Amino acid sequence: MREKVKQLLEEALPLVDFDSEFLYAELDSLGVTTILMTLSDAFGIKLEAADATPRNLRSLDSITAMVEKHLEDSHTATTH
């Protein structure tokens, strides 16, 4: 999952170093919006402005965890 997220984001934002430990500091508002839109479309989940926190966008691992949580939540919502 992490590699898929990284590949999608590197294609969308080729100038961003997604291996950076200070990823959030490298992002501007357009970069944040691009991440949310790219991952929402790719995984069929709904990422919103509220998800654009320094904690969620701190690193590639935290972005992957955010995607996995939304996938899990959407799967749980559709099975109940």
Side-chain angles (χ1 to χ4, degrees):
M1 174 64 83
R2 183 181 190 277
E3 284 306 310
K4 181 168 177 62
V5 168
K6 183 177 181 182
Q7 180 182 2
L8 288 166
L9 296 182
E10 285 179 338
E11 289 174 12
L13 296 166
L15 300 179
V16 175
D17 177 10
F18 286 98
D19 292 318
S20 171
E21 293 181 27
F22 305 102
L23 179 59
Y24 187 75
E26 294 186 26
L27 298 171
D28 59 11
S29 59
L30 181 59
V32 170
T33 302
T34 300
I35 288 173
L36 297 178
M37 289 175 45
T38 299
L39 297 176
S40 291
D41 291 347
F43 293 101
I45 56 179
K46 188 170 173 116
L47 297 174
E48 300 173 348
D51 294 306
T53 65
R55 183 176 183 197
N56 284 342
L57 302 176
R58 179 181 65 238
S59 66
L60 185 59
D61 288 336
S62 62
I63 293 171
T64 302
M66 174 182 64
V67 170
E68 289 173 338
K69 181 183 182 322
H70 276 275
L71 285 169
E72 187 178 296
D73 290 350
S74 67
H75 178 72
T76 301
T78 57
T79 58
H80 285 111

